[in-house]
Amino acid sequence: MAQISDPKIAFAYLRPACVLLTREPTVTNVETLSGQLKEVNDATLQQLQEYVLFPLRFVLKVPGPKKEKMVQAVAEAMCHVLENTCVQSWETLHGLFSELCLCLCSPADPGKPADTSEELKLAVLRCLDALFHAAYGDIFFKLFEPIMLPGLGAAISLLLALGEKEKSRDIQVAALKCLQALTLQCDCTQDHVVPSSEERCTIGSTMASFLPGITTAVARIITGDLRQGHTVTVRAIKVWSRTVALVLDDTQLQASEPEKTSSDLGRIGQLMVRRTQDWVKSTVGKLSVLLKKIISCTSAHQHWKVRLELVELDDHLLSQCSQSLGECVGLLLEALVGAVNDEDPRVRERCEVALREVSQRNQSCGSSSAQTFTDVLSENLHSLATSLPRLMRTSDDQKKLFVLNVFLGYIKVLGPLVSVVLNSGAHLERISRALMQVLELDVMDVRIVEERSYTPSIETSSGSGYSDSAHIQRKHFLYFTDEKILCVLMEICRTLGHYGNIYLLTDHFLDLYQQSSVYRKQAAMVLNEIIRGAAGIAVATEGQGVESQVRGHSPTQEDLKVAVVSVMEEYTSLKNWHLITVSEETTDRDQQDQQLLSPSRLLSISNSSFSSTNANSLQVIPSSFASTSTSSSSSTLHQLNSNIWQLCIQLEGIACFAQALGRDFRSLLMTSLYAVLEKAGEETLLVSQAALGSMWDISKACGYPSLKELINENSDYPAQ
């Protein structure tokens, strides 16, 4: 059906319904008018706007209580008019604003929402939102004149109460959306009034009076019950960030002196806030407390849209008011960096864009910034490294994972600048000590010592290979159990190796390895991954880093080889390789069998060894070197387990070094292959498995199709 476009025909059509509604305000008459309004096109409705709104407003102004269905029907009819027309009169805007707010508040206590149906509240909120969008030109900014402060404050308090206290998610979202629209911060697709810099400054100055109340109440919504749903939380984060950015906008605060309060305003003047430097400093201090709570509750939120909105908050505040936010900048950067490794690609990609923009803005500021972006990142990294051991002891696994992702994020974002940061002795020491404490192994499992292996068999067929699952050892750590946490820790080490100076890092962690047996296993794990990272193995750098993606000091193959040789020499030295792994009574029990064999027998394998019926199977004979060492009667279960894990980690390390060097590792087989073969014959199951797995990795890295070829080609190497 075609809509009515002639104003005269439309007036004649609508007049009877308007007159009847004025005389008899009933739900039926409101619905009749509402239905007729939808038959008039927008241009004609614009000309008749004041006329058709009059009877609807009249119904709301009639003294006495009104039926909820009546008020709801009026709000829905008004909403249709406002969604399809522009409000060009201040009197109309002001009147409707007041009338709609009265529909929402309690008659007994105007500061609280009325105890009415959810449908009524939702209809009025939608109408209020439509009113803000319909306001045309300069009249909208009259809402922010000082004389409007009491009424504006009452409306904001009402919307905040609805957003926080209501059980209906739809009402909460609608109330928060109204708050956004009120300050021209709405993110819908409709056309909006675009304020000039002066008009935006006026809004910011007025909203400064309400900033404490808005940020506190909205922070409670953000950190509230998870059952409210992610939609409410996302909308609340938008309100919080947009309001803070509006009031603390760097451009506004730097453009002019704080506004002076007019003496003509009387008591209303006391409600106004002057955005002085002292006020800004005090406000930022309070905001930082709220920001910590918000980040804590949303950074690891289960829904990706909440985490994405936190990134939006970080980016918006850092772009609009980084200079005025002061101490909050570090918190924002920490939250932003924490999202670099988010499990959702949409969050990661948005985070990477935001970080690049932050970096570019920082570089364009040059030396004028009091604290550069890199300084903030490095200081945050140092602070996090300091608190990391405590957080790993006291937090749950989800919090631990987030903290470690932040740690990893800082390293990735610094990129090549990691080398500069690590040149600081304090930073390197703090980071390395944190890793040593976090990676402490639980070595009290009695099964480690009890498990035995006498004749392990390896498939040497190039077709089947040796299964990775057969030789990857599951380690148990004191401070975490989640495998994801270990993965992040290992990636941290690889990323340090990728961007850091390989000589500095290997020297430092070798010192820790040599200094104390307490740190030896952890230092070895870190060294293994650092060398892998330096070789570019399992390092994700695409889109990461705020500086050039070119590494600051890319190690050559010779650099890698020098580092590998120094670490491997330490691993295979007499004191670190020939460790006691079995108790004295076990040694006595098996001594007769073990005396039948010697380490040199391992290298007597020749081509004839593989001419037997099963040519694809190699029986590795146990070694007697470790077991014939003098076993101290004071050896404890703890020490035996510690020795076993140290050997396993060192064997894994030799495999890592082979992967890092590839075929260049062949020249190091003279000093490494015999040592690994010897451990393949260990009677302790974990050590034997680790050695066999290492042999297979070495074979693949050096280009040998099977262990048979690896051993045959290098069987002339003497025992060391």
Side-chain angles (χ1 to χ4, degrees), residues 162-174:
L162 288 167
E164 183 180 1
K165 304 296 183 183
E166 283 295 321
K167 295 180 180 179
S168 167
R169 296 179 185 179
D170 290 338
I171 292 177
Q172 287 182 284
V173 171

mmCIF file with all atom_site columns, all heavy atoms in Angstrom, residues 162-174:
data_model
loop_
_atom_site.group_PDB
_atom_site.id
_atom_site.type_symbol
_atom_site.label_atom_id
_atom_site.label_alt_id
_atom_site.label_comp_id
_atom_site.label_asym_id
_atom_site.label_entity_id
_atom_site.label_seq_id
_atom_site.pdbx_PDB_ins_code
_atom_site.Cartn_x
_atom_site.Cartn_y
_atom_site.Cartn_z
_atom_site.occupancy
_atom_site.B_iso_or_equiv
_atom_site.pdbx_formal_charge
_atom_site.auth_seq_id
_atom_site.auth_comp_id
_atom_site.auth_asym_id
_atom_site.auth_atom_id
_atom_site.pdbx_PDB_model_num
ATOM 1   N N   . LEU A 1 162 ? 19.316 1.953   35.791 1.00 0.00 ? 162 LEU A N   1
ATOM 2   C CA  . LEU A 1 162 ? 18.698 0.935   34.934 1.00 0.00 ? 162 LEU A CA  1
ATOM 3   C C   . LEU A 1 162 ? 19.752 -0.013  34.359 1.00 0.00 ? 162 LEU A C   1
ATOM 4   O O   . LEU A 1 162 ? 19.525 -1.219  34.254 1.00 0.00 ? 162 LEU A O   1
ATOM 5   C CB  . LEU A 1 162 ? 17.936 1.616   33.792 1.00 0.00 ? 162 LEU A CB  1
ATOM 6   C CG  . LEU A 1 162 ? 16.634 2.327   34.185 1.00 0.00 ? 162 LEU A CG  1
ATOM 7   C CD1 . LEU A 1 162 ? 16.149 3.209   33.041 1.00 0.00 ? 162 LEU A CD1 1
ATOM 8   C CD2 . LEU A 1 162 ? 15.554 1.315   34.564 1.00 0.00 ? 162 LEU A CD2 1
ATOM 9   N N   . GLY A 1 163 ? 20.891 0.536   33.996 1.00 0.00 ? 163 GLY A N   1
ATOM 10  C CA  . GLY A 1 163 ? 21.958 -0.284  33.433 1.00 0.00 ? 163 GLY A CA  1
ATOM 11  C C   . GLY A 1 163 ? 22.571 -1.238  34.442 1.00 0.00 ? 163 GLY A C   1
ATOM 12  O O   . GLY A 1 163 ? 23.033 -2.326  34.090 1.00 0.00 ? 163 GLY A O   1
ATOM 13  N N   . GLU A 1 164 ? 22.559 -0.844  35.716 1.00 0.00 ? 164 GLU A N   1
ATOM 14  C CA  . GLU A 1 164 ? 23.207 -1.658  36.743 1.00 0.00 ? 164 GLU A CA  1
ATOM 15  C C   . GLU A 1 164 ? 22.252 -2.591  37.473 1.00 0.00 ? 164 GLU A C   1
ATOM 16  O O   . GLU A 1 164 ? 22.603 -3.743  37.767 1.00 0.00 ? 164 GLU A O   1
ATOM 17  C CB  . GLU A 1 164 ? 23.888 -0.744  37.766 1.00 0.00 ? 164 GLU A CB  1
ATOM 18  C CG  . GLU A 1 164 ? 24.652 -1.490  38.833 1.00 0.00 ? 164 GLU A CG  1
ATOM 19  C CD  . GLU A 1 164 ? 25.332 -0.573  39.835 1.00 0.00 ? 164 GLU A CD  1
ATOM 20  O OE1 . GLU A 1 164 ? 25.195 0.660   39.710 1.00 0.00 ? 164 GLU A OE1 1
ATOM 21  O OE2 . GLU A 1 164 ? 26.002 -1.095  40.750 1.00 0.00 ? 164 GLU A OE2 1
ATOM 22  N N   . LYS A 1 165 ? 21.034 -2.128  37.764 1.00 0.00 ? 165 LYS A N   1
ATOM 23  C CA  . LYS A 1 165 ? 20.150 -2.874  38.658 1.00 0.00 ? 165 LYS A CA  1
ATOM 24  C C   . LYS A 1 165 ? 19.143 -3.776  37.958 1.00 0.00 ? 165 LYS A C   1
ATOM 25  O O   . LYS A 1 165 ? 18.650 -4.734  38.553 1.00 0.00 ? 165 LYS A O   1
ATOM 26  C CB  . LYS A 1 165 ? 19.381 -1.885  39.553 1.00 0.00 ? 165 LYS A CB  1
ATOM 27  C CG  . LYS A 1 165 ? 20.261 -0.942  40.365 1.00 0.00 ? 165 LYS A CG  1
ATOM 28  C CD  . LYS A 1 165 ? 21.123 -1.683  41.364 1.00 0.00 ? 165 LYS A CD  1
ATOM 29  C CE  . LYS A 1 165 ? 21.935 -0.710  42.227 1.00 0.00 ? 165 LYS A CE  1
ATOM 30  N NZ  . LYS A 1 165 ? 22.828 -1.429  43.167 1.00 0.00 ? 165 LYS A NZ  1
ATOM 31  N N   . GLU A 1 166 ? 18.813 -3.460  36.717 1.00 0.00 ? 166 GLU A N   1
ATOM 32  C CA  . GLU A 1 166 ? 17.781 -4.232  36.037 1.00 0.00 ? 166 GLU A CA  1
ATOM 33  C C   . GLU A 1 166 ? 18.233 -5.671  35.765 1.00 0.00 ? 166 GLU A C   1
ATOM 34  O O   . GLU A 1 166 ? 19.402 -5.917  35.478 1.00 0.00 ? 166 GLU A O   1
ATOM 35  C CB  . GLU A 1 166 ? 17.400 -3.553  34.723 1.00 0.00 ? 166 GLU A CB  1
ATOM 36  C CG  . GLU A 1 166 ? 16.504 -2.345  34.895 1.00 0.00 ? 166 GLU A CG  1
ATOM 37  C CD  . GLU A 1 166 ? 15.138 -2.696  35.453 1.00 0.00 ? 166 GLU A CD  1
ATOM 38  O OE1 . GLU A 1 166 ? 14.578 -3.737  35.056 1.00 0.00 ? 166 GLU A OE1 1
ATOM 39  O OE2 . GLU A 1 166 ? 14.642 -1.915  36.289 1.00 0.00 ? 166 GLU A OE2 1
ATOM 40  N N   . LYS A 1 167 ? 17.286 -6.577  35.816 1.00 0.00 ? 167 LYS A N   1
ATOM 41  C CA  . LYS A 1 167 ? 17.595 -7.981  35.534 1.00 0.00 ? 167 LYS A CA  1
ATOM 42  C C   . LYS A 1 167 ? 17.533 -8.284  34.038 1.00 0.00 ? 167 LYS A C   1
ATOM 43  O O   . LYS A 1 167 ? 18.147 -9.242  33.575 1.00 0.00 ? 167 LYS A O   1
ATOM 44  C CB  . LYS A 1 167 ? 16.629 -8.880  36.294 1.00 0.00 ? 167 LYS A CB  1
ATOM 45  C CG  . LYS A 1 167 ? 16.779 -8.791  37.814 1.00 0.00 ? 167 LYS A CG  1
ATOM 46  C CD  . LYS A 1 167 ? 15.790 -9.711  38.517 1.00 0.00 ? 167 LYS A CD  1
ATOM 47  C CE  . LYS A 1 167 ? 15.950 -9.607  40.026 1.00 0.00 ? 167 LYS A CE  1
ATOM 48  N NZ  . LYS A 1 167 ? 14.981 -10.476 40.749 1.00 0.00 ? 167 LYS A NZ  1
ATOM 49  N N   . SER A 1 168 ? 16.767 -7.475  33.310 1.00 0.00 ? 168 SER A N   1
ATOM 50  C CA  . SER A 1 168 ? 16.628 -7.694  31.870 1.00 0.00 ? 168 SER A CA  1
ATOM 51  C C   . SER A 1 168 ? 17.867 -7.189  31.130 1.00 0.00 ? 168 SER A C   1
ATOM 52  O O   . SER A 1 168 ? 18.257 -6.034  31.255 1.00 0.00 ? 168 SER A O   1
ATOM 53  C CB  . SER A 1 168 ? 15.392 -6.960  31.348 1.00 0.00 ? 168 SER A CB  1
ATOM 54  O OG  . SER A 1 168 ? 15.399 -6.900  29.940 1.00 0.00 ? 168 SER A OG  1
ATOM 55  N N   . ARG A 1 169 ? 18.492 -8.065  30.343 1.00 0.00 ? 169 ARG A N   1
ATOM 56  C CA  . ARG A 1 169 ? 19.666 -7.664  29.567 1.00 0.00 ? 169 ARG A CA  1
ATOM 57  C C   . ARG A 1 169 ? 19.307 -6.593  28.542 1.00 0.00 ? 169 ARG A C   1
ATOM 58  O O   . ARG A 1 169 ? 20.093 -5.671  28.297 1.00 0.00 ? 169 ARG A O   1
ATOM 59  C CB  . ARG A 1 169 ? 20.258 -8.876  28.844 1.00 0.00 ? 169 ARG A CB  1
ATOM 60  C CG  . ARG A 1 169 ? 20.802 -9.947  29.766 1.00 0.00 ? 169 ARG A CG  1
ATOM 61  C CD  . ARG A 1 169 ? 21.348 -11.116 28.952 1.00 0.00 ? 169 ARG A CD  1
ATOM 62  N NE  . ARG A 1 169 ? 21.777 -12.215 29.802 1.00 0.00 ? 169 ARG A NE  1
ATOM 63  C CZ  . ARG A 1 169 ? 22.264 -13.361 29.354 1.00 0.00 ? 169 ARG A CZ  1
ATOM 64  N NH1 . ARG A 1 169 ? 22.375 -13.549 28.041 1.00 0.00 ? 169 ARG A NH1 1
ATOM 65  N NH2 . ARG A 1 169 ? 22.634 -14.311 30.173 1.00 0.00 ? 169 ARG A NH2 1
ATOM 66  N N   . ASP A 1 170 ? 18.113 -6.728  27.947 1.00 0.00 ? 170 ASP A N   1
ATOM 67  C CA  . ASP A 1 170 ? 17.699 -5.760  26.931 1.00 0.00 ? 170 ASP A CA  1
ATOM 68  C C   . ASP A 1 170 ? 17.590 -4.360  27.515 1.00 0.00 ? 170 ASP A C   1
ATOM 69  O O   . ASP A 1 170 ? 17.979 -3.374  26.873 1.00 0.00 ? 170 ASP A O   1
ATOM 70  C CB  . ASP A 1 170 ? 16.356 -6.174  26.319 1.00 0.00 ? 170 ASP A CB  1
ATOM 71  C CG  . ASP A 1 170 ? 16.477 -7.415  25.454 1.00 0.00 ? 170 ASP A CG  1
ATOM 72  O OD1 . ASP A 1 170 ? 17.601 -7.705  24.985 1.00 0.00 ? 170 ASP A OD1 1
ATOM 73  O OD2 . ASP A 1 170 ? 15.462 -8.100  25.244 1.00 0.00 ? 170 ASP A OD2 1
ATOM 74  N N   . ILE A 1 171 ? 17.047 -4.263  28.730 1.00 0.00 ? 171 ILE A N   1
ATOM 75  C CA  . ILE A 1 171 ? 16.929 -2.953  29.374 1.00 0.00 ? 171 ILE A CA  1
ATOM 76  C C   . ILE A 1 171 ? 18.309 -2.409  29.720 1.00 0.00 ? 171 ILE A C   1
ATOM 77  O O   . ILE A 1 171 ? 18.584 -1.217  29.526 1.00 0.00 ? 171 ILE A O   1
ATOM 78  C CB  . ILE A 1 171 ? 16.042 -3.045  30.639 1.00 0.00 ? 171 ILE A CB  1
ATOM 79  C CG1 . ILE A 1 171 ? 14.595 -3.342  30.242 1.00 0.00 ? 171 ILE A CG1 1
ATOM 80  C CG2 . ILE A 1 171 ? 16.121 -1.753  31.445 1.00 0.00 ? 171 ILE A CG2 1
ATOM 81  C CD1 . ILE A 1 171 ? 13.656 -3.520  31.410 1.00 0.00 ? 171 ILE A CD1 1
ATOM 82  N N   . GLN A 1 172 ? 19.173 -3.261  30.233 1.00 0.00 ? 172 GLN A N   1
ATOM 83  C CA  . GLN A 1 172 ? 20.535 -2.814  30.558 1.00 0.00 ? 172 GLN A CA  1
ATOM 84  C C   . GLN A 1 172 ? 21.238 -2.252  29.322 1.00 0.00 ? 172 GLN A C   1
ATOM 85  O O   . GLN A 1 172 ? 21.826 -1.166  29.368 1.00 0.00 ? 172 GLN A O   1
ATOM 86  C CB  . GLN A 1 172 ? 21.346 -3.986  31.116 1.00 0.00 ? 172 GLN A CB  1
ATOM 87  C CG  . GLN A 1 172 ? 20.980 -4.397  32.526 1.00 0.00 ? 172 GLN A CG  1
ATOM 88  C CD  . GLN A 1 172 ? 21.871 -5.539  33.013 1.00 0.00 ? 172 GLN A CD  1
ATOM 89  O OE1 . GLN A 1 172 ? 21.692 -6.685  32.623 1.00 0.00 ? 172 GLN A OE1 1
ATOM 90  N NE2 . GLN A 1 172 ? 22.829 -5.218  33.857 1.00 0.00 ? 172 GLN A NE2 1
ATOM 91  N N   . VAL A 1 173 ? 21.166 -2.999  28.222 1.00 0.00 ? 173 VAL A N   1
ATOM 92  C CA  . VAL A 1 173 ? 21.817 -2.561  26.986 1.00 0.00 ? 173 VAL A CA  1
ATOM 93  C C   . VAL A 1 173 ? 21.193 -1.272  26.473 1.00 0.00 ? 173 VAL A C   1
ATOM 94  O O   . VAL A 1 173 ? 21.899 -0.342  26.052 1.00 0.00 ? 173 VAL A O   1
ATOM 95  C CB  . VAL A 1 173 ? 21.740 -3.664  25.905 1.00 0.00 ? 173 VAL A CB  1
ATOM 96  C CG1 . VAL A 1 173 ? 22.216 -3.136  24.558 1.00 0.00 ? 173 VAL A CG1 1
ATOM 97  C CG2 . VAL A 1 173 ? 22.575 -4.868  26.314 1.00 0.00 ? 173 VAL A CG2 1
ATOM 98  N N   . ALA A 1 174 ? 19.852 -1.171  26.511 1.00 0.00 ? 174 ALA A N   1
ATOM 99  C CA  . ALA A 1 174 ? 19.162 0.030   26.024 1.00 0.00 ? 174 ALA A CA  1
ATOM 100 C C   . ALA A 1 174 ? 19.534 1.256   26.852 1.00 0.00 ? 174 ALA A C   1
ATOM 101 O O   . ALA A 1 174 ? 19.729 2.351   26.309 1.00 0.00 ? 174 ALA A O   1
ATOM 102 C CB  . ALA A 1 174 ? 17.654 -0.192  26.047 1.00 0.00 ? 174 ALA A CB  1
#
